[in-house]
mmCIF file with all atom_site columns, all heavy atoms in Angstrom:
data_model
loop_
_atom_site.group_PDB
_atom_site.id
_atom_site.type_symbol
_atom_site.label_atom_id
_atom_site.label_alt_id
_atom_site.label_comp_id
_atom_site.label_asym_id
_atom_site.label_entity_id
_atom_site.label_seq_id
_atom_site.pdbx_PDB_ins_code
_atom_site.Cartn_x
_atom_site.Cartn_y
_atom_site.Cartn_z
_atom_site.occupancy
_atom_site.B_iso_or_equiv
_atom_site.pdbx_formal_charge
_atom_site.auth_seq_id
_atom_site.auth_comp_id
_atom_site.auth_asym_id
_atom_site.auth_atom_id
_atom_site.pdbx_PDB_model_num
ATOM 1   N N   . GLU A 1 208 ? -8.037  46.058 -39.653 1.00 98.00 ? 213 GLU A N   1
ATOM 2   C CA  . GLU A 1 208 ? -8.893  45.047 -40.267 1.00 98.00 ? 213 GLU A CA  1
ATOM 3   C C   . GLU A 1 208 ? -10.122 44.782 -39.406 1.00 98.00 ? 213 GLU A C   1
ATOM 4   O O   . GLU A 1 208 ? -11.236 44.649 -39.923 1.00 98.00 ? 213 GLU A O   1
ATOM 5   C CB  . GLU A 1 208 ? -8.106  43.752 -40.472 1.00 98.00 ? 213 GLU A CB  1
ATOM 6   C CG  . GLU A 1 208 ? -8.853  42.686 -41.245 1.00 98.00 ? 213 GLU A CG  1
ATOM 7   C CD  . GLU A 1 208 ? -7.967  41.491 -41.595 1.00 98.00 ? 213 GLU A CD  1
ATOM 8   O OE1 . GLU A 1 208 ? -6.774  41.712 -41.873 1.00 98.00 ? 213 GLU A OE1 1
ATOM 9   O OE2 . GLU A 1 208 ? -8.484  40.371 -41.589 1.00 98.00 ? 213 GLU A OE2 1
ATOM 10  N N   . TYR A 1 209 ? -9.930  44.741 -38.081 1.00 98.00 ? 214 TYR A N   1
ATOM 11  C CA  . TYR A 1 209 ? -11.069 44.532 -37.175 1.00 98.00 ? 214 TYR A CA  1
ATOM 12  C C   . TYR A 1 209 ? -12.074 45.687 -37.291 1.00 98.00 ? 214 TYR A C   1
ATOM 13  O O   . TYR A 1 209 ? -13.284 45.458 -37.388 1.00 98.00 ? 214 TYR A O   1
ATOM 14  C CB  . TYR A 1 209 ? -10.566 44.425 -35.740 1.00 98.00 ? 214 TYR A CB  1
ATOM 15  C CG  . TYR A 1 209 ? -11.686 44.419 -34.716 1.00 98.00 ? 214 TYR A CG  1
ATOM 16  C CD1 . TYR A 1 209 ? -12.479 43.280 -34.536 1.00 98.00 ? 214 TYR A CD1 1
ATOM 17  C CD2 . TYR A 1 209 ? -11.974 45.555 -33.969 1.00 98.00 ? 214 TYR A CD2 1
ATOM 18  C CE1 . TYR A 1 209 ? -13.520 43.279 -33.621 1.00 98.00 ? 214 TYR A CE1 1
ATOM 19  C CE2 . TYR A 1 209 ? -13.010 45.558 -33.055 1.00 98.00 ? 214 TYR A CE2 1
ATOM 20  C CZ  . TYR A 1 209 ? -13.786 44.421 -32.889 1.00 98.00 ? 214 TYR A CZ  1
ATOM 21  O OH  . TYR A 1 209 ? -14.820 44.435 -31.981 1.00 98.00 ? 214 TYR A OH  1
ATOM 22  N N   . TYR A 1 210 ? -11.587 46.927 -37.295 1.00 98.00 ? 215 TYR A N   1
ATOM 23  C CA  . TYR A 1 210 ? -12.492 48.072 -37.403 1.00 98.00 ? 215 TYR A CA  1
ATOM 24  C C   . TYR A 1 210 ? -13.214 48.073 -38.735 1.00 98.00 ? 215 TYR A C   1
ATOM 25  O O   . TYR A 1 210 ? -14.358 48.540 -38.844 1.00 98.00 ? 215 TYR A O   1
ATOM 26  C CB  . TYR A 1 210 ? -11.710 49.375 -37.229 1.00 98.00 ? 215 TYR A CB  1
ATOM 27  C CG  . TYR A 1 210 ? -11.638 49.846 -35.780 1.00 98.00 ? 215 TYR A CG  1
ATOM 28  C CD1 . TYR A 1 210 ? -11.106 49.046 -34.781 1.00 98.00 ? 215 TYR A CD1 1
ATOM 29  C CD2 . TYR A 1 210 ? -12.100 51.125 -35.425 1.00 98.00 ? 215 TYR A CD2 1
ATOM 30  C CE1 . TYR A 1 210 ? -11.028 49.486 -33.480 1.00 98.00 ? 215 TYR A CE1 1
ATOM 31  C CE2 . TYR A 1 210 ? -12.038 51.570 -34.126 1.00 98.00 ? 215 TYR A CE2 1
ATOM 32  C CZ  . TYR A 1 210 ? -11.496 50.738 -33.142 1.00 98.00 ? 215 TYR A CZ  1
ATOM 33  O OH  . TYR A 1 210 ? -11.437 51.190 -31.843 1.00 98.00 ? 215 TYR A OH  1
ATOM 34  N N   . HIS A 1 211 ? -12.561 47.576 -39.775 1.00 98.00 ? 216 HIS A N   1
ATOM 35  C CA  . HIS A 1 211 ? -13.214 47.491 -41.082 1.00 98.00 ? 216 HIS A CA  1
ATOM 36  C C   . HIS A 1 211 ? -14.401 46.529 -41.025 1.00 98.00 ? 216 HIS A C   1
ATOM 37  O O   . HIS A 1 211 ? -15.504 46.878 -41.463 1.00 98.00 ? 216 HIS A O   1
ATOM 38  C CB  . HIS A 1 211 ? -12.217 47.028 -42.138 1.00 98.00 ? 216 HIS A CB  1
ATOM 39  C CG  . HIS A 1 211 ? -12.845 46.707 -43.462 1.00 98.00 ? 216 HIS A CG  1
ATOM 40  N ND1 . HIS A 1 211 ? -13.401 47.664 -44.278 1.00 98.00 ? 216 HIS A ND1 1
ATOM 41  C CD2 . HIS A 1 211 ? -13.028 45.511 -44.100 1.00 98.00 ? 216 HIS A CD2 1
ATOM 42  C CE1 . HIS A 1 211 ? -13.890 47.091 -45.357 1.00 98.00 ? 216 HIS A CE1 1
ATOM 43  N NE2 . HIS A 1 211 ? -13.675 45.796 -45.286 1.00 98.00 ? 216 HIS A NE2 1
ATOM 44  N N   . TYR A 1 212 ? -14.180 45.342 -40.474 1.00 97.00 ? 217 TYR A N   1
ATOM 45  C CA  . TYR A 1 212 ? -15.251 44.348 -40.435 1.00 97.00 ? 217 TYR A CA  1
ATOM 46  C C   . TYR A 1 212 ? -16.280 44.621 -39.336 1.00 97.00 ? 217 TYR A C   1
ATOM 47  O O   . TYR A 1 212 ? -17.454 44.320 -39.517 1.00 97.00 ? 217 TYR A O   1
ATOM 48  C CB  . TYR A 1 212 ? -14.650 42.944 -40.276 1.00 97.00 ? 217 TYR A CB  1
ATOM 49  C CG  . TYR A 1 212 ? -13.931 42.475 -41.513 1.00 97.00 ? 217 TYR A CG  1
ATOM 50  C CD1 . TYR A 1 212 ? -12.547 42.338 -41.532 1.00 97.00 ? 217 TYR A CD1 1
ATOM 51  C CD2 . TYR A 1 212 ? -14.625 42.210 -42.694 1.00 97.00 ? 217 TYR A CD2 1
ATOM 52  C CE1 . TYR A 1 212 ? -11.879 41.926 -42.679 1.00 97.00 ? 217 TYR A CE1 1
ATOM 53  C CE2 . TYR A 1 212 ? -13.974 41.806 -43.841 1.00 97.00 ? 217 TYR A CE2 1
ATOM 54  C CZ  . TYR A 1 212 ? -12.598 41.666 -43.831 1.00 97.00 ? 217 TYR A CZ  1
ATOM 55  O OH  . TYR A 1 212 ? -11.937 41.271 -44.975 1.00 97.00 ? 217 TYR A OH  1
ATOM 56  N N   . ARG A 1 213 ? -15.845 45.235 -38.250 1.00 97.00 ? 218 ARG A N   1
ATOM 57  C CA  . ARG A 1 213 ? -16.762 45.489 -37.130 1.00 97.00 ? 218 ARG A CA  1
ATOM 58  C C   . ARG A 1 213 ? -17.558 46.764 -37.304 1.00 97.00 ? 218 ARG A C   1
ATOM 59  O O   . ARG A 1 213 ? -18.752 46.832 -37.002 1.00 97.00 ? 218 ARG A O   1
ATOM 60  C CB  . ARG A 1 213 ? -15.958 45.548 -35.816 1.00 97.00 ? 218 ARG A CB  1
ATOM 61  C CG  . ARG A 1 213 ? -16.781 45.833 -34.579 1.00 97.00 ? 218 ARG A CG  1
ATOM 62  C CD  . ARG A 1 213 ? -17.733 44.682 -34.257 1.00 97.00 ? 218 ARG A CD  1
ATOM 63  N NE  . ARG A 1 213 ? -18.450 44.908 -33.002 1.00 97.00 ? 218 ARG A NE  1
ATOM 64  C CZ  . ARG A 1 213 ? -19.560 45.644 -32.885 1.00 97.00 ? 218 ARG A CZ  1
ATOM 65  N NH1 . ARG A 1 213 ? -20.085 46.196 -33.965 1.00 97.00 ? 218 ARG A NH1 1
ATOM 66  N NH2 . ARG A 1 213 ? -20.134 45.799 -31.721 1.00 97.00 ? 218 ARG A NH2 1
ATOM 67  N N   . TYR A 1 214 ? -16.906 47.829 -37.806 1.00 97.00 ? 219 TYR A N   1
ATOM 68  C CA  . TYR A 1 214 ? -17.554 49.140 -37.863 1.00 97.00 ? 219 TYR A CA  1
ATOM 69  C C   . TYR A 1 214 ? -17.658 49.712 -39.275 1.00 97.00 ? 219 TYR A C   1
ATOM 70  O O   . TYR A 1 214 ? -18.172 50.821 -39.455 1.00 97.00 ? 219 TYR A O   1
ATOM 71  C CB  . TYR A 1 214 ? -16.797 50.145 -36.981 1.00 97.00 ? 219 TYR A CB  1
ATOM 72  C CG  . TYR A 1 214 ? -16.699 49.722 -35.543 1.00 97.00 ? 219 TYR A CG  1
ATOM 73  C CD1 . TYR A 1 214 ? -15.468 49.393 -34.980 1.00 97.00 ? 219 TYR A CD1 1
ATOM 74  C CD2 . TYR A 1 214 ? -17.829 49.654 -34.732 1.00 97.00 ? 219 TYR A CD2 1
ATOM 75  C CE1 . TYR A 1 214 ? -15.362 49.008 -33.667 1.00 97.00 ? 219 TYR A CE1 1
ATOM 76  C CE2 . TYR A 1 214 ? -17.742 49.254 -33.408 1.00 97.00 ? 219 TYR A CE2 1
ATOM 77  C CZ  . TYR A 1 214 ? -16.495 48.927 -32.878 1.00 97.00 ? 219 TYR A CZ  1
ATOM 78  O OH  . TYR A 1 214 ? -16.413 48.550 -31.574 1.00 97.00 ? 219 TYR A OH  1
ATOM 79  N N   . GLY A 1 215 ? -17.147 49.001 -40.265 1.00 97.00 ? 220 GLY A N   1
ATOM 80  C CA  . GLY A 1 215 ? -17.206 49.503 -41.626 1.00 97.00 ? 220 GLY A CA  1
ATOM 81  C C   . GLY A 1 215 ? -16.168 50.552 -41.958 1.00 97.00 ? 220 GLY A C   1
ATOM 82  O O   . GLY A 1 215 ? -16.301 51.253 -42.972 1.00 97.00 ? 220 GLY A O   1
ATOM 83  N N   . LEU A 1 216 ? -15.120 50.692 -41.137 1.00 98.00 ? 221 LEU A N   1
ATOM 84  C CA  . LEU A 1 216 ? -14.082 51.669 -41.403 1.00 98.00 ? 221 LEU A CA  1
ATOM 85  C C   . LEU A 1 216 ? -13.346 51.331 -42.701 1.00 98.00 ? 221 LEU A C   1
ATOM 86  O O   . LEU A 1 216 ? -12.919 50.202 -42.920 1.00 98.00 ? 221 LEU A O   1
ATOM 87  C CB  . LEU A 1 216 ? -13.078 51.684 -40.235 1.00 98.00 ? 221 LEU A CB  1
ATOM 88  C CG  . LEU A 1 216 ? -11.840 52.570 -40.429 1.00 98.00 ? 221 LEU A CG  1
ATOM 89  C CD1 . LEU A 1 216 ? -12.221 54.040 -40.544 1.00 98.00 ? 221 LEU A CD1 1
ATOM 90  C CD2 . LEU A 1 216 ? -10.835 52.359 -39.296 1.00 98.00 ? 221 LEU A CD2 1
ATOM 91  N N   . ASP A 1 217 ? -13.170 52.347 -43.545 1.00 98.00 ? 222 ASP A N   1
ATOM 92  C CA  . ASP A 1 217 ? -12.428 52.154 -44.790 1.00 98.00 ? 222 ASP A CA  1
ATOM 93  C C   . ASP A 1 217 ? -10.936 52.283 -44.490 1.00 98.00 ? 222 ASP A C   1
ATOM 94  O O   . ASP A 1 217 ? -10.314 53.317 -44.718 1.00 98.00 ? 222 ASP A O   1
ATOM 95  C CB  . ASP A 1 217 ? -12.871 53.199 -45.826 1.00 98.00 ? 222 ASP A CB  1
ATOM 96  C CG  . ASP A 1 217 ? -12.328 52.881 -47.216 1.00 98.00 ? 222 ASP A CG  1
ATOM 97  O OD1 . ASP A 1 217 ? -11.503 51.951 -47.343 1.00 98.00 ? 222 ASP A OD1 1
ATOM 98  O OD2 . ASP A 1 217 ? -12.729 53.571 -48.169 1.00 98.00 ? 222 ASP A OD2 1
ATOM 99  N N   . PHE A 1 218 ? -10.372 51.213 -43.976 1.00 98.00 ? 223 PHE A N   1
ATOM 100 C CA  . PHE A 1 218 ? -8.970  51.160 -43.556 1.00 98.00 ? 223 PHE A CA  1
ATOM 101 C C   . PHE A 1 218 ? -8.126  50.571 -44.683 1.00 98.00 ? 223 PHE A C   1
ATOM 102 O O   . PHE A 1 218 ? -8.474  49.535 -45.252 1.00 98.00 ? 223 PHE A O   1
ATOM 103 C CB  . PHE A 1 218 ? -8.848  50.289 -42.311 1.00 98.00 ? 223 PHE A CB  1
ATOM 104 C CG  . PHE A 1 218 ? -7.432  50.011 -41.866 1.00 98.00 ? 223 PHE A CG  1
ATOM 105 C CD1 . PHE A 1 218 ? -6.755  50.914 -41.061 1.00 98.00 ? 223 PHE A CD1 1
ATOM 106 C CD2 . PHE A 1 218 ? -6.780  48.844 -42.264 1.00 98.00 ? 223 PHE A CD2 1
ATOM 107 C CE1 . PHE A 1 218 ? -5.455  50.654 -40.654 1.00 98.00 ? 223 PHE A CE1 1
ATOM 108 C CE2 . PHE A 1 218 ? -5.481  48.575 -41.854 1.00 98.00 ? 223 PHE A CE2 1
ATOM 109 C CZ  . PHE A 1 218 ? -4.822  49.483 -41.050 1.00 98.00 ? 223 PHE A CZ  1
ATOM 110 N N   . ARG A 1 219 ? -7.001  51.228 -44.998 1.00 98.00 ? 224 ARG A N   1
ATOM 111 C CA  . ARG A 1 219 ? -6.108  50.754 -46.044 1.00 98.00 ? 224 ARG A CA  1
ATOM 112 C C   . ARG A 1 219 ? -4.666  50.855 -45.543 1.00 98.00 ? 224 ARG A C   1
ATOM 113 O O   . ARG A 1 219 ? -4.295  51.836 -44.901 1.00 98.00 ? 224 ARG A O   1
ATOM 114 C CB  . ARG A 1 219 ? -6.297  51.563 -47.332 1.00 98.00 ? 224 ARG A CB  1
ATOM 115 C CG  . ARG A 1 219 ? -7.771  51.521 -47.788 1.00 98.00 ? 224 ARG A CG  1
ATOM 116 C CD  . ARG A 1 219 ? -8.032  52.276 -49.064 1.00 98.00 ? 224 ARG A CD  1
ATOM 117 N NE  . ARG A 1 219 ? -9.456  52.250 -49.372 1.00 98.00 ? 224 ARG A NE  1
ATOM 118 C CZ  . ARG A 1 219 ? -9.975  52.359 -50.586 1.00 98.00 ? 224 ARG A CZ  1
ATOM 119 N NH1 . ARG A 1 219 ? -9.176  52.489 -51.638 1.00 98.00 ? 224 ARG A NH1 1
ATOM 120 N NH2 . ARG A 1 219 ? -11.281 52.325 -50.764 1.00 98.00 ? 224 ARG A NH2 1
ATOM 121 N N   . CYS A 1 220 ? -3.872  49.846 -45.866 1.00 98.00 ? 225 CYS A N   1
ATOM 122 C CA  . CYS A 1 220 ? -2.539  49.751 -45.291 1.00 98.00 ? 225 CYS A CA  1
ATOM 123 C C   . CYS A 1 220 ? -1.588  49.121 -46.290 1.00 98.00 ? 225 CYS A C   1
ATOM 124 O O   . CYS A 1 220 ? -1.951  48.175 -46.988 1.00 98.00 ? 225 CYS A O   1
ATOM 125 C CB  . CYS A 1 220 ? -2.612  48.916 -44.002 1.00 98.00 ? 225 CYS A CB  1
ATOM 126 S SG  . CYS A 1 220 ? -1.041  48.616 -43.178 1.00 98.00 ? 225 CYS A SG  1
ATOM 127 N N   . LEU A 1 221 ? -0.374  49.664 -46.374 1.00 98.00 ? 226 LEU A N   1
ATOM 128 C CA  . LEU A 1 221 ? 0.689   49.082 -47.176 1.00 98.00 ? 226 LEU A CA  1
ATOM 129 C C   . LEU A 1 221 ? 1.883   48.781 -46.282 1.00 98.00 ? 226 LEU A C   1
ATOM 130 O O   . LEU A 1 221 ? 2.248   49.595 -45.439 1.00 98.00 ? 226 LEU A O   1
ATOM 131 C CB  . LEU A 1 221 ? 1.133   50.047 -48.281 1.00 98.00 ? 226 LEU A CB  1
ATOM 132 C CG  . LEU A 1 221 ? 0.108   50.420 -49.345 1.00 98.00 ? 226 LEU A CG  1
ATOM 133 C CD1 . LEU A 1 221 ? 0.706   51.428 -50.321 1.00 98.00 ? 226 LEU A CD1 1
ATOM 134 C CD2 . LEU A 1 221 ? -0.382  49.185 -50.092 1.00 98.00 ? 226 LEU A CD2 1
ATOM 135 N N   . ARG A 1 222 ? 2.469   47.618 -46.498 1.00 98.00 ? 227 ARG A N   1
ATOM 136 C CA  . ARG A 1 222 ? 3.729   47.317 -45.808 1.00 98.00 ? 227 ARG A CA  1
ATOM 137 C C   . ARG A 1 222 ? 4.862   47.877 -46.662 1.00 98.00 ? 227 ARG A C   1
ATOM 138 O O   . ARG A 1 222 ? 5.196   47.336 -47.705 1.00 98.00 ? 227 ARG A O   1
ATOM 139 C CB  . ARG A 1 222 ? 3.895   45.809 -45.610 1.00 98.00 ? 227 ARG A CB  1
ATOM 140 C CG  . ARG A 1 222 ? 2.888   45.205 -44.654 1.00 98.00 ? 227 ARG A CG  1
ATOM 141 C CD  . ARG A 1 222 ? 3.297   43.779 -44.276 1.00 98.00 ? 227 ARG A CD  1
ATOM 142 N NE  . ARG A 1 222 ? 2.251   43.113 -43.518 1.00 98.00 ? 227 ARG A NE  1
ATOM 143 C CZ  . ARG A 1 222 ? 1.426   42.193 -44.020 1.00 98.00 ? 227 ARG A CZ  1
ATOM 144 N NH1 . ARG A 1 222 ? 1.539   41.834 -45.291 1.00 98.00 ? 227 ARG A NH1 1
ATOM 145 N NH2 . ARG A 1 222 ? 0.511   41.643 -43.263 1.00 98.00 ? 227 ARG A NH2 1
ATOM 146 N N   . TYR A 1 223 ? 5.452   48.963 -46.169 1.00 96.00 ? 228 TYR A N   1
ATOM 147 C CA  . TYR A 1 223 ? 6.549   49.593 -46.896 1.00 96.00 ? 228 TYR A CA  1
ATOM 148 C C   . TYR A 1 223 ? 7.844   48.803 -46.708 1.00 96.00 ? 228 TYR A C   1
ATOM 149 O O   . TYR A 1 223 ? 8.144   48.348 -45.603 1.00 96.00 ? 228 TYR A O   1
ATOM 150 C CB  . TYR A 1 223 ? 6.796   51.000 -46.370 1.00 96.00 ? 228 TYR A CB  1
ATOM 151 C CG  . TYR A 1 223 ? 5.749   52.028 -46.682 1.00 96.00 ? 228 TYR A CG  1
ATOM 152 C CD1 . TYR A 1 223 ? 5.610   53.144 -45.860 1.00 96.00 ? 228 TYR A CD1 1
ATOM 153 C CD2 . TYR A 1 223 ? 4.913   51.918 -47.786 1.00 96.00 ? 228 TYR A CD2 1
ATOM 154 C CE1 . TYR A 1 223 ? 4.666   54.119 -46.130 1.00 96.00 ? 228 TYR A CE1 1
ATOM 155 C CE2 . TYR A 1 223 ? 3.967   52.893 -48.057 1.00 96.00 ? 228 TYR A CE2 1
ATOM 156 C CZ  . TYR A 1 223 ? 3.841   54.009 -47.224 1.00 96.00 ? 228 TYR A CZ  1
ATOM 157 O OH  . TYR A 1 223 ? 2.914   54.976 -47.494 1.00 96.00 ? 228 TYR A OH  1
ATOM 158 N N   . PRO A 1 224 ? 8.655   48.708 -47.752 1.00 95.00 ? 229 PRO A N   1
ATOM 159 C CA  . PRO A 1 224 ? 10.040  48.282 -47.570 1.00 95.00 ? 229 PRO A CA  1
ATOM 160 C C   . PRO A 1 224 ? 10.861  49.459 -47.059 1.00 95.00 ? 229 PRO A C   1
ATOM 161 O O   . PRO A 1 224 ? 10.296  50.485 -46.646 1.00 95.00 ? 229 PRO A O   1
ATOM 162 C CB  . PRO A 1 224 ? 10.441  47.864 -48.986 1.00 95.00 ? 229 PRO A CB  1
ATOM 163 C CG  . PRO A 1 224 ? 9.606   48.735 -49.866 1.00 95.00 ? 229 PRO A CG  1
ATOM 164 C CD  . PRO A 1 224 ? 8.305   48.967 -49.141 1.00 95.00 ? 229 PRO A CD  1
ATOM 165 N N   . GLY A 1 225 ? 12.187  49.364 -47.061 1.00 91.00 ? 230 GLY A N   1
ATOM 166 C CA  . GLY A 1 225 ? 13.008  50.515 -46.728 1.00 91.00 ? 230 GLY A CA  1
ATOM 167 C C   . GLY A 1 225 ? 12.809  51.596 -47.780 1.00 91.00 ? 230 GLY A C   1
ATOM 168 O O   . GLY A 1 225 ? 12.845  51.312 -48.977 1.00 91.00 ? 230 GLY A O   1
ATOM 169 N N   . ILE A 1 226 ? 12.577  52.846 -47.339 1.00 91.00 ? 231 ILE A N   1
ATOM 170 C CA  . ILE A 1 226 ? 12.288  53.935 -48.261 1.00 91.00 ? 231 ILE A CA  1
ATOM 171 C C   . ILE A 1 226 ? 13.503  54.856 -48.359 1.00 91.00 ? 231 ILE A C   1
ATOM 172 O O   . ILE A 1 226 ? 14.056  55.285 -47.356 1.00 91.00 ? 231 ILE A O   1
ATOM 173 C CB  . ILE A 1 226 ? 11.056  54.740 -47.794 1.00 91.00 ? 231 ILE A CB  1
ATOM 174 C CG1 . ILE A 1 226 ? 9.856   53.801 -47.623 1.00 91.00 ? 231 ILE A CG1 1
ATOM 175 C CG2 . ILE A 1 226 ? 10.745  55.854 -48.788 1.00 91.00 ? 231 ILE A CG2 1
ATOM 176 C CD1 . ILE A 1 226 ? 9.448   53.048 -48.865 1.00 91.00 ? 231 ILE A CD1 1
ATOM 177 N N   . ILE A 1 227 ? 13.879  55.170 -49.605 1.00 92.00 ? 232 ILE A N   1
ATOM 178 C CA  . ILE A 1 227 ? 15.045  55.975 -49.873 1.00 92.00 ? 232 ILE A CA  1
ATOM 179 C C   . ILE A 1 227 ? 14.618  57.260 -50.568 1.00 92.00 ? 232 ILE A C   1
ATOM 180 O O   . ILE A 1 227 ? 13.890  57.227 -51.559 1.00 92.00 ? 232 ILE A O   1
ATOM 181 C CB  . ILE A 1 227 ? 16.041  55.212 -50.769 1.00 92.00 ? 232 ILE A CB  1
ATOM 182 C CG1 . ILE A 1 227 ? 16.434  53.892 -50.090 1.00 92.00 ? 232 ILE A CG1 1
ATOM 183 C CG2 . ILE A 1 227 ? 17.269  56.057 -51.066 1.00 92.00 ? 232 ILE A CG2 1
ATOM 184 C CD1 . ILE A 1 227 ? 17.269  52.984 -50.970 1.00 92.00 ? 232 ILE A CD1 1
ATOM 185 N N   . SER A 1 228 ? 15.060  58.409 -50.025 1.00 88.00 ? 233 SER A N   1
ATOM 186 C CA  . SER A 1 228 ? 14.725  59.683 -50.642 1.00 88.00 ? 233 SER A CA  1
ATOM 187 C C   . SER A 1 228 ? 15.888  60.648 -50.490 1.00 88.00 ? 233 SER A C   1
ATOM 188 O O   . SER A 1 228 ? 16.700  60.537 -49.574 1.00 88.00 ? 233 SER A O   1
ATOM 189 C CB  . SER A 1 228 ? 13.463  60.283 -50.014 1.00 88.00 ? 233 SER A CB  1
ATOM 190 O OG  . SER A 1 228 ? 13.669  60.605 -48.659 1.00 88.00 ? 233 SER A OG  1
ATOM 191 N N   . ALA A 1 229 ? 15.957  61.617 -51.401 1.00 84.00 ? 234 ALA A N   1
ATOM 192 C CA  . ALA A 1 229 ? 17.075  62.556 -51.414 1.00 84.00 ? 234 ALA A CA  1
ATOM 193 C C   . ALA A 1 229 ? 16.830  63.758 -50.525 1.00 84.00 ? 234 ALA A C   1
ATOM 194 O O   . ALA A 1 229 ? 17.777  64.423 -50.120 1.00 84.00 ? 234 ALA A O   1
ATOM 195 C CB  . ALA A 1 229 ? 17.320  63.015 -52.845 1.00 84.00 ? 234 ALA A CB  1
ATOM 196 N N   . ASP A 1 230 ? 15.569  64.060 -50.222 1.00 77.00 ? 235 ASP A N   1
ATOM 197 C CA  . ASP A 1 230 ? 15.273  65.315 -49.539 1.00 77.00 ? 235 ASP A CA  1
ATOM 198 C C   . ASP A 1 230 ? 14.962  65.141 -48.065 1.00 77.00 ? 235 ASP A C   1
ATOM 199 O O   . ASP A 1 230 ? 14.308  65.973 -47.453 1.00 77.00 ? 235 ASP A O   1
ATOM 200 C CB  . ASP A 1 230 ? 14.117  66.030 -50.229 1.00 77.00 ? 235 ASP A CB  1
ATOM 201 C CG  . ASP A 1 230 ? 12.872  65.153 -50.309 1.00 77.00 ? 235 ASP A CG  1
ATOM 202 O OD1 . ASP A 1 230 ? 12.934  63.996 -49.876 1.00 77.00 ? 235 ASP A OD1 1
ATOM 203 O OD2 . ASP A 1 230 ? 11.841  65.646 -50.820 1.00 77.00 ? 235 ASP A OD2 1
ATOM 204 N N   . SER A 1 231 ? 15.389  64.037 -47.471 1.00 70.00 ? 236 SER A N   1
ATOM 205 C CA  . SER A 1 231 ? 15.193  63.853 -46.033 1.00 70.00 ? 236 SER A CA  1
ATOM 206 C C   . SER A 1 231 ? 16.410  63.175 -45.429 1.00 70.00 ? 236 SER A C   1
ATOM 207 O O   . SER A 1 231 ? 17.127  62.435 -46.092 1.00 70.00 ? 236 SER A O   1
ATOM 208 C CB  . SER A 1 231 ? 13.937  63.015 -45.760 1.00 70.00 ? 236 SER A CB  1
ATOM 209 O OG  . SER A 1 231 ? 14.095  61.701 -46.262 1.00 70.00 ? 236 SER A OG  1
#
Side-chain angles (χ1 to χ4, degrees):
E213 187 172 324
Y214 171 75
Y215 269 58
H216 171 69
Y217 290 111
R218 178 68 175 84
Y219 302 113
L221 174 64
D222 191 352
F223 173 85
R224 304 181 184 206
C225 177
L226 297 178
R227 293 192 188 103
Y228 290 155
I231 304 301
I232 302 172
S233 65
D235 57 357
S236 65

